[in-house]
Amino acid sequence: MADISSSVANASSGKNQAPGVTECEKDPPISAVILYPSLGTPLILAPGQTKCSIFLGAAAEARTHFTIDEKTKQAHTIHCAVDRHLRLYDIKKKGTKTDTTQGTLFGDGKSFTKAKAAIHGWLVGDFAAGALIKNRHGQPFATISTQAAEVYRGLANVYEIEIDLTQAPFAEIGTAAFKTFAWMVEIDAEHARHQEYQGVTHVEGQDMYIHDFLHNSKNAAANHFSKPYEFNLDHLQATGLPAQRAERLMSWHPVIRSEKKALNIGHLSDVHVNVRHNALAQSPARVIEDDAAGSLADKVGGKVCNSFMALKDLFEQFGKGENRADAIFLTGDLIDFNRNIDPDKVGASIGEQWKNFNVLGKLDDKSLYKRGMDDMLMYSLVRHSYRELKLPVFMTTGNHEAYDVPYGVSPRADSSLSTWANKMGRLEGMADGMSPVMPTIKRDGWWFRSAPREEQIADLRKDVEAASEWISGKANEGIAADHNMTIYEATLAYGPTYGQIYTARNFHADNFDWFSALFTPLSDFVIPYGAKPDDPTGKDTRQILCGLEWGNGEVYINLSLDKVKGMAGDRVWRQSSSPDAQGNTVLPRATHSINDQQKLILNSAGLYKQHSNAKLLVATHFTIINYNKSPLNAKLSITPFDRVQSEGEVRVVDTPAFNDANFGTCEKNLKWYFDTFIFVDDTRRVNHHLSGHSHRSGLYRPTPEDRPNMLRRANIANARDPGLHGEQKSSDDYTNFIVSSCGGPIGVQNLYGELNGWTLRPPSGTLLDAQSGLVKQVKTSDPKKNTQPRLCVALDYLAVMSRDDDSITTPLSFMCTSFKPGQAGFAGNVDVILSNQMASMACITAINFWVFQAQGTGARASKVWHKLMPSMTEGTKLRFGSANGSKKRLTFSAGDLQKINNALNAGDMKVQQAFCEVQLKKPNIADGQPDWGRDMNCSDSWVFPLDIELRMTDIGTIPIMIRPGGERGEVPDWGWLFKNYKSGSGNSYPDPQKIIKG
């Protein structure tokens, strides 16, 4: 495959020309890349704007042909190349044939007269990883992402090109639809032979770069999705991938003229597009394998909230109707991970699906796990936004764009040194400064030299039984809830490898290459909307949009690390105590932000504001203010701290710097940001800061502590949620920190401590009205698409998490009554003990039970589920220990008791399998609190495993009814499913050991 960087150099070599020649007709074709605008950083012209600037990256040889004045850096003949190569097309389709041998843009032929009057250019910097791009006035504009520099190798310099918009063809840019710039060159022979270029004589040079990126060695190794064409989003379905359009993946450089003096911004974050949802949605598994069970026998795959479908709904709302925005700001976590399972190949049966979801066993199957499917969906939606909705999209990166491979649907982590994940983390943690061969050790009187680290990691990945063991600790307990599923439902669809991870180091910054290639090569940027490019003051700026990337690192294991000497002089790491108030594991923090380049970008934004008094908006994925488990109404504070450290140094700071008020923040220059842009007067203050990351909606206005202190505390009080408290008015006196919830998965909230932080919220974004300052939540809540949060999921999380979190009281438990010790059968009454929280919600309408009974053997064997429907009456108020609550009494009929006792006898005094079904209604909301239940689906029953048995005690047999602890009470009993449903007319469940072993 040809190297496009070589093509750039060859096209621009001009070996027979002397430097400084200005006869344009003698110049060779110049291949270049338009850096701005791009899909993720569009160009929006303000009303009446007559000039604009675009930025170009070109090879070093282009400098000769642009005739650079070394003092002013003006490129005196750049207009010739622009006339030859720059085109303006409709956003729906670029041209495939043109003439780049003469002045075609203006119809100048060989004279370039019109181009000379309308086009001016300047050399403004170098094209390099992390390079700061300044405009011709020396003002910071953007930074080149590290990954863009790798994708676009061969570029050396950056040019600013000023365009007179009054001249044809730029006068065509209007308000009705987007146009796109394109820098067209003749296609080379190597690329012309590929199918997607058949019949194409000219192509945008950047598209050849993108072609090479999609087919490079890294993507080939990850088996990049093979067809580089957009997805058709007209007819989405929950299962499988959508059909593809005829348009190939390529670069776009959108431009449109707005009618607005300032832009209304729709904010979306944490959309987590994940085609695994389309695979999980195909699961035919059922909680109760009996058609007579009604909705409880529904396929669990039908319960999955599909992030992409929810996201598309939100785009449509922001694109039209009462929630119409003028632009979207999308702040990271566009995808869950880079390589994913192909939903078209996951299989139709439970056995096939479980086997294919096995990450350790199947990740290397290139026909199954591929890179790029989620990115292509996201790319197709952004294209749809420009093409059909006329809605521009500004984008920044989050940490998930860097995540390499998938993990289980309920991945497990624990502090115990003996667990599989901890062993993997320690092995992978030896990467820096460690010898590849561990020291010699003595064992049982013999001396051994252990295997190299890479071999140890490979051997550990073969220990699939240990990787699949159940442990209570969860790496991210909310993943199933993101899907709108209980952990039981999600793991039933996924299979017995639900807890597996492939690596403890999943963040790899080179995975930002997809974002840099297809969305924008700019990692940070400041765009002064309405500013005249020839005015260095920017006094006509009407709005300032500033986006900052996540950066090339993260930390989520929040431990102090000490360097000590080990045997044979090798360095090892020893874990010490947590260095700050956020604990040992945290919502990932951005370790490289706010960096020095970002400070310069922010300072540039501040200068625009000082000269124009326009509103300043900053957007990041990482939060600045964000609560963890404290209720939103709690009074919190932080002391912003400037950490200056190199990577890997001990992470110890004062406790107030990182606490319950700023989970998921950045780690550098927080104090600088507050001192420079937050605790200042309005001439420089950030008006709105948009972020996500936490999956919790909030509007915060920190105020400075009123005392002279080098480390001023930021007090946070009276925080609001635009989704539950209703539309909010921005403050003109303080910075408004807007944290949007998930734009794809189910979000969470905790206003007053209700549901202990498991109040689930529909996928949503935020609409910011530029003129009035009103802040409104825009949501999608559709039970048909599973975007309406299920109350049963929240209640189940309370029950599961209460086992590991002392702050959560078990919402519901059972106590058998009206029995005589030693009696041979089950009793007629059971008391249901409700926590005070559960009792106050008054959301239970009935409690039923399902008990399994297997009868007979061989051909006459039968498997029957019995439904028990006891009557329910109100019990008494309870007070016990530090908690209080109430109880309800269940009374079984004689027929139900007989069914229980029959199942007990058949199961050797224990029912083989049983479930509790709690039927629900909309919960009561405490006086004065927003109605957090109005968006919830309360019709789905809460279903969980139950143990029913007669247990031997010192006083004889007593009946027991309890949700079991451990694995059996949280996830399916894999062995039982295999034993009873390994064959037959219904669903077949495979041997879990065969699934685990691949």
Side-chain angles (χ1 to χ4, degrees), residues 28-42:
I30 304 295
S31 185
V33 168
I34 299 175
L35 305 176
Y36 172 79
S38 62
L39 272 182
T41 43

Side-chain angles (χ1 to χ4, degrees), residues 776-964:
K776 176 184 180 182
Q777 186 175 89
V778 178
K779 63 194 174 190
T780 173
S781 185
D782 185 348
K784 294 180 180 179
K785 295 182 179 178
N786 299 325
T787 56
Q788 188 178 45
R790 300 162 68 210
L791 177 61
C792 63
V793 173
L795 296 178
D796 201 65
Y797 265 80
L798 287 179
V800 170
M801 299 311 298
S802 67
R803 302 183 185 278
D804 299 310
D805 189 337
D806 293 338
S807 68
I808 303 176
T809 303
T810 302
L812 181 151
S813 60
F814 302 94
M815 180 182 295
C816 294
T817 59
S818 304
F819 69 92
K820 295 179 180 180
Q823 71 183 37
F826 216 76
N829 294 324
V830 173
D831 283 347
V832 182
I833 312 302
L834 305 178
S835 68
N836 188 54
Q837 179 175 232
M838 193 73 188
S840 65
M841 287 190 289
C843 58
I844 298 176
T845 62
I847 298 178
N848 301 324
F849 301 90
W850 293 82
V851 295
F852 175 85
Q853 183 178 0
Q855 296 176 321
T857 59
R860 295 188 176 184
S862 65
K863 298 175 177 65
V864 179
W865 283 95
H866 299 293
K867 183 178 183 179
L868 315 179
M869 302 176 64
S871 61
M872 185 173 70
T873 56
E874 295 297 327
T876 58
K877 186 77 174 175
L878 296 178
R879 287 192 178 275
F880 47 92
S882 60
N884 56 48
S886 65
K887 67 180 181 180
K888 295 180 182 290
R889 171 151 292 186
L890 303 179
T891 302
F892 292 92
S893 68
D896 281 350
L897 285 175
Q898 186 63 49
K899 292 174 183 176
I900 294 178
N901 290 323
N902 288 343
L904 283 167
N905 293 331
D908 193 20
M909 306 306 288
K910 182 176 182 178
V911 175
Q912 289 187 39
Q913 187 72 285
F915 288 93
C916 177
E917 175 197 0
V918 182
Q919 295 183 355
L920 302 169
K921 65 177 181 179
K922 186 176 180 296
N924 286 343
I925 307 298
D927 291 343
Q929 293 187 10
D931 186 0
W932 50 264
R934 66 173 177 258
D935 294 313
M936 301 193 86
N937 172 359
C938 303
S939 60
D940 281 5
S941 294
W942 174 22
V943 183
F944 52 86
L946 204 65
D947 275 352
I948 302 175
E949 62 180 300
L950 290 175
R951 185 175 298 176
M952 291 297 299
T953 70
D954 292 341
I955 61 173
T957 58
I958 60 172
I960 298 292
M961 183 177 285
I962 188 173
R963 181 169 186 169

Side-chain angles (χ1 to χ4, degrees), residues 93-98 184-189 191-204 207-208 248 250:
K93 190 175 183 180
K94 287 192 285 191
T96 58
K97 294 178 174 63
T98 188
M184 304 296 288
V185 295
E186 187 174 356
I187 193 169
D188 61 33
H191 291 87
R193 69 182 181 83
H194 289 272
Q195 180 180 355
E196 60 262 39
Y197 295 107
Q198 295 304 300
V200 174
T201 63
H202 290 76
V203 68
E204 189 161 6
D207 295 347
M208 291 191 281
R248 57 184 164 83
M250 63 182 87

